[in-house]
Amino acid sequence: MEKRVMITGMGTINPLGNDVKTFWNNLTQGKSGIKKIKRLDLTDMKSIVAGVITGFSPEDILSKKEIKRNTDFILYALWAAEQAMKDSGLDIEKENPNRLGIITGSGIGGIKDIEEQHTILLAKGPLRISPFLIVKMIADMVPGKLSMKYGFKGTNYSIASACASSTHAMIEAFHNIKFGVADIVMTGGSEAPITPIGLGGFNALNALSKQYNDEPEKSSRPFEKNRDGFVVAEGAAIFIFEEYEHAKKRGAHIYAEVMGAGSTADAFHETAPAPRAEGGRRAMEEAVRESKISLEDIGYINAHGTATRLNDKNETEAIKDMFGDHAKKLAISSIKSMIGHTLGASGAVASVASIMAINTGIIPPTINYDEPDPECDLYYVPNKAIERKVDYTLTNSFGFGGHNGVLLIGKFR
């Protein structure tokens, strides 16, 4: 018998805040967390802005020794997970640890440590490489470290599917509970890509915004006519997914219900979406089909919305192809306009916003929407948040390599 899957805890750290409340307040006020990068040598970089985390103090939850043995993308996940655990009210002593799983996603893992240790290799030789390199760089160390901290002994792994990584992790978590593999799965994703190679690699692809280097807060412009690329960002979001009867029995607060998911491949190109984002459209269709609701029930799409020429145009076309006349009635927004693109963590961070939209009746805006693009002709909640009752949302994630992941989250009933 299929189980219902609830969201009973969540936490985040991203350029707009180091907890859910701060993030949501800044998001709905249309603030930008995008800044000129100060911690890197920006010589010959065409894009020099990013969504940067500020005010982060891992000492609040970890010892100096533990901090040294970890790296940024792991620390961000640990920080967000601590929030999610406290928020959920879980008492691990009362749980069967074998029924508690962890599935997370990261697109590039510990890229900073690979860079740093490669420099040491070239300058000083292999004997000077840090013994912590491997356990810092591999993406699966996030669920590994979280299991050690909280005693979750069930299913445990990480997913890498570029910008769809955390969404695919959440899809796996959803299905693990739905089909009875686990009672609870901690899930989400984390990313720390603001490094010389991370920034330089995307610069080399000409994928990043570069015309607003002197006005960083204006650089991410999803669906807007003058958009010129995405803005790289760092961050994490972690959730507690929980089987409904289990959550009800322990009196857990339920934020929302995960109702459907879709996962497809474009089979088209390394970086460009398929024409009319047909792979993304099929993922949305799968999510709606699994949820058993009608298209007209969906009120908000938290778009992938990267602010690249091709993504925004094709995502718009996919929504119109799928929803027909209802597409014009949808509220659509991209929070990347305010925080930038957190790559593998983007689906998880966006899902925090989707859940909060359901719970508050407020839909966050797409800022920097100054001049409409005739090819992007839907309602993108321009510049200011709106109040609108939302019962069901779609959160889209489309990654390099043609990986598509979509979650349908609904109001708990």
Side-chain angles (χ1 to χ4, degrees):
M1 179 175 148
E2 294 182 358
K3 312 287 187 179
R4 294 174 68 189
V5 182
M6 306 295 146
I7 299 168
T8 58
M10 57 183 176
T12 190
I13 177 169
N14 64 67
L16 279 184
N18 299 346
D19 59 79
V20 171
K21 182 179 179 181
T22 304
F23 165 56
W24 183 243
N25 286 341
N26 287 330
L27 195 72
T28 53
Q29 289 174 37
K31 293 183 178 180
S32 175
I34 297 171
K35 300 174 173 62
K36 184 174 180 178
I37 301 167
K38 295 182 178 180
R39 62 186 190 233
L40 300 180
D41 179 358
L42 299 172
T43 304
D44 295 330
M45 295 283 190
K46 290 175 284 187
S47 176
I48 58 174
V49 301
V52 179
I53 289 170
T54 59
F56 175 49
S57 301
E59 297 86 359
D60 292 345
I61 62 168
L62 296 170
S63 68
K64 289 183 179 179
K65 182 178 179 181
E66 288 174 314
I67 293 169
K68 186 176 180 181
R69 294 174 68 99
N70 288 292
T71 191
D72 290 347
F73 89 104
I74 300 174
L75 292 171
Y76 297 157
L78 290 168
W79 182 269
E82 185 72 4
Q83 295 174 44
M85 285 294 290
K86 288 180 179 178
D87 191 33
S88 72
L90 271 175
D91 184 349
I92 300 301
E93 297 299 319
K94 296 180 180 179
E95 302 294 337
N96 177 356
N98 300 326
R99 299 282 300 171
L100 309 178
I102 304 176
I103 306 172
T104 63
S106 181
I108 56 178
I111 190 171
K112 180 181 81 168
D113 301 275
I114 298 172
E115 288 183 57
E116 290 176 350
Q117 295 306 311
H118 184 254
T119 300
I120 290 172
L121 168 68
L122 295 179
K124 300 179 180 179
L127 296 179
R128 299 299 296 274
I129 293 173
S130 169
F132 299 121
L133 169 61
I134 301 302
V135 296
K136 283 184 173 183
M137 63 176 266
I138 52 180
D140 67 292
M141 201 50 62
V142 167
K145 289 289 181 76
L146 290 172
S147 69
M148 295 171 210
K149 182 171 184 179
Y150 297 111
F152 285 37
K153 293 185 176 181
T155 188
N156 189 283
Y157 55 95
S158 181
I159 289 175
S161 53
C163 306
S165 298
S166 59
T167 299
H168 282 141
M170 295 165 72
I171 290 171
E172 287 291 294
F174 166 51
H175 287 148
N176 265 257
I177 296 172
K178 180 176 181 176
F179 299 119
V181 176
D183 296 325
I184 291 171
V185 181
M186 183 185 291
T187 187
S190 61
E191 205 80 275
I194 306 173
T195 74
I197 283 184
L199 189 67
F202 285 118
N203 264 291
L205 273 176
N206 285 317
L208 301 181
S209 172
K210 50 187 178 292
Q211 67 184 21
Y212 297 95
N213 282 334
D214 294 329
E215 298 177 286
E217 70 281 355
K218 295 182 179 181
S219 57
S220 184
R221 314 176 72 83
F223 302 107
E224 201 260 359
K225 184 177 181 180
N226 300 303
R227 67 191 185 277
D228 71 323
F230 74 86
V231 175
V232 71
E234 57 192 356
I238 299 291
F239 304 88
I240 302 299
F241 283 12
E242 186 167 358
E243 192 273 323
Y244 171 59
E245 294 296 336
H246 187 281
K248 185 171 72 169
K249 183 177 180 181
R250 70 179 188 88
H253 170 71
I254 295 172
Y255 282 102
E257 180 173 1
V258 187
M259 302 182 66
S263 179
T264 65
D266 286 350
F268 177 69
H269 190 269
E270 294 100 326
T271 58
R276 305 191 73 84
E278 70 86 23
R281 188 205 74 232
R282 286 186 291 108
M284 288 190 285
E285 289 171 345
E286 284 186 8
V288 173
R289 190 180 304 116
E290 184 173 25
S291 73
K292 297 182 174 63
I293 66 169
S294 68
L295 291 179
E296 291 72 24
D297 290 329
I298 295 168
Y300 173 48
I301 295 180
N302 197 323
H304 189 55
T306 58
T308 58
R309 305 303 307 181
L310 285 178
N311 175 89
D312 296 0
K313 171 182 177 291
N314 282 278
E315 187 171 13
T316 295
E317 289 171 341
I319 292 168
K320 292 195 289 187
D321 289 347
M322 176 174 168
F323 285 90
D325 292 341
H326 185 61
K328 295 287 186 180
K329 300 176 184 178
L330 289 165
I332 303 163
S333 67
S334 172
I335 69 168
K336 292 180 180 70
S337 61
M338 291 171 274
I339 67 170
H341 193 349
T342 54
L343 306 183
S346 61
V349 178
S351 292
V352 175
S354 295
I355 293 161
M356 292 302 293
I358 290 169
N359 279 268
T360 64
I362 299 173
I363 296 177
T366 305
I367 68 166
N368 299 319
Y369 192 87
D370 297 333
E371 188 173 355
D373 183 342
E375 294 186 310
C376 300
D377 55 354
L378 297 176
Y379 177 58
Y380 305 108
V381 192
N383 301 316
K384 291 186 178 180
I386 61 169
E387 292 187 11
R388 181 181 291 188
K389 182 175 179 288
V390 177
D391 288 334
Y392 303 98
T393 70
L394 286 175
T395 302
N396 291 346
S397 298
F398 309 146
F400 280 3
H403 309 291
N404 307 298
V406 175
L407 277 176
L408 194 153
I409 299 171
K411 190 178 186 69
F412 169 61
R413 300 183 186 281

